């Protein structure tokens, strides 16, 4: 397929929203310890930016990652959720904030949430850069949302298409060239 990438959400819009979310998180977890759980690979840039904007004087922040796969090299979800790398941190009795790049069908987050809840965290919340509510197949509550977007395929700011375009500083819409 031949395609082009059109800017959907500009770099400065992302930076502004990341700061707003980080301020909300700082307020929510002030004087507490918080474990950010990034879902690899797509959330890495978003997590890094959020973590740097959370006030380290007010929140004791720790970061860990899970490698969770639900997409192959196509634009459609494989519908299979696989845990490829689990957390190294113990979540028992801790405040957990899952950081996700995009909530689409909700299947991936639903599975990750089920797994983490069996480990008895004090709290478990979810933060996503992008939310596509039109595509939801599984109900999932998201506590912090960067942007709600319509149902189109996106890349950039950590999100890939066949492992390409993750390093774009903006979120782009993939448009097929006919």
């Amino acid at each position: 397929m031949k395609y082009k990438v059109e800017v959907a959400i500009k770099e400065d819009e992302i930076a502004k929203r990341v700061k707003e979310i980080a301020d909300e998180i700082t307020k929510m977890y002030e004087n507490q310890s918080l474990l950010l759980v990034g879902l690899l690979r797509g959330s890495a840039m978003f997590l890094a930016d959020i973590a740097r904007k959370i006030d380290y004087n007010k929140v004791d922040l720790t970061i860990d990652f899970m490698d969770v796969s639900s997409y192959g090299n196509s634009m459609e979800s494989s519908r299979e959720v696989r845990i490829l790398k689990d957390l190294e941190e113990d979540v028992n009795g801790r405040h957990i904030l899952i950081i996700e790049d995009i909530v689409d069908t909700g299947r991936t987050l639903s599975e990750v949430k089920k797994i983490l809840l069996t480990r008895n965290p004090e709290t478990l919340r979810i933060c996503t850069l992008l939310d596509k509510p039109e595509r939801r197949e599984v109900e999932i509550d998201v506590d912090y949302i960067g942007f709600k977007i319509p149902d189109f395929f996106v890349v950039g700011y950590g999100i890939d298409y066949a492992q390409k375009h993750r390093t774009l500083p903006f979120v782009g819409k993939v448009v097929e060239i006919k």
Side-chain angles (χ1 to χ4, degrees):
M1 172 181 88
K2 292 186 77 172
Y3 64 92
K4 63 181 179 177
V5 177
E6 297 176 349
V7 176
I9 305 171
K10 296 177 189 173
E11 186 175 1
D12 62 332
E13 294 175 278
I14 294 170
K16 180 178 184 267
R17 187 66 185 122
V18 164
K19 175 69 171 116
E20 292 168 354
I21 293 170
D23 289 348
E24 291 176 41
I25 292 168
T26 297
K27 188 176 179 181
M28 171 66 76
Y29 295 100
E30 190 167 354
N31 299 317
Q32 297 181 65
S33 178
L34 175 64
L35 173 62
L36 298 182
V37 174
L39 300 185
L40 293 173
R41 300 179 199 164
S43 73
M45 289 187 188
F46 182 44
L47 182 140
D49 286 349
I50 285 278
R52 288 189 300 239
K53 296 296 181 191
I54 293 171
D55 188 338
Y56 60 85
N57 291 309
K58 296 181 178 177
V59 180
D60 178 23
L61 199 58
T62 309
I63 296 172
D64 202 350
F65 294 93
M66 292 180 79
D67 192 352
V68 181
S69 175
S70 64
Y71 284 85
N73 287 335
S74 73
M75 290 187 180
E76 291 299 317
S77 169
S78 67
R79 297 190 180 271
E80 176 186 349
V81 175
R82 298 177 301 153
I83 305 292
L84 305 175
K85 178 206 174 294
D86 208 340
L87 295 175
E88 294 178 22
E89 293 284 325
D90 182 8
V91 302
N92 185 41
R94 296 180 72 181
H95 296 289
I96 309 301
L97 181 60
I98 298 171
I99 306 291
E100 178 64 301
D101 56 350
I102 186 167
V103 180
D104 195 327
T105 65
R107 291 178 180 279
T108 301
L109 272 179
S110 178
E111 287 301 311
V112 170
K113 185 176 178 180
K114 282 182 204 170
I115 290 166
L116 293 179
L117 284 174
T118 66
R119 300 175 187 177
N120 303 311
E122 177 73 22
T123 61
L124 178 67
R125 290 187 176 89
I126 297 170
C127 175
T128 188
L129 174 66
L130 303 174
D131 185 21
K132 283 189 192 179
E134 296 172 35
R135 300 248 321 150
R136 201 78 80 243
E137 295 175 7
V138 176
E139 191 59 41
I140 188 89
D141 291 325
V142 181
D143 302 277
Y144 304 97
I145 297 171
F147 303 92
K148 286 190 180 185
I149 61 170
D151 185 18
F152 56 79
F153 196 79
V154 295
V155 295
Y157 197 67
I159 302 166
D160 74 301
Y161 172 48
Q163 299 304 324
K164 295 178 181 152
H165 310 297
R166 285 189 197 278
T167 59
L168 295 174
F170 58 86
V171 172
K173 177 180 180 180
V174 174
V175 179
E176 188 173 357
I177 301 172
K178 299 191 185 221

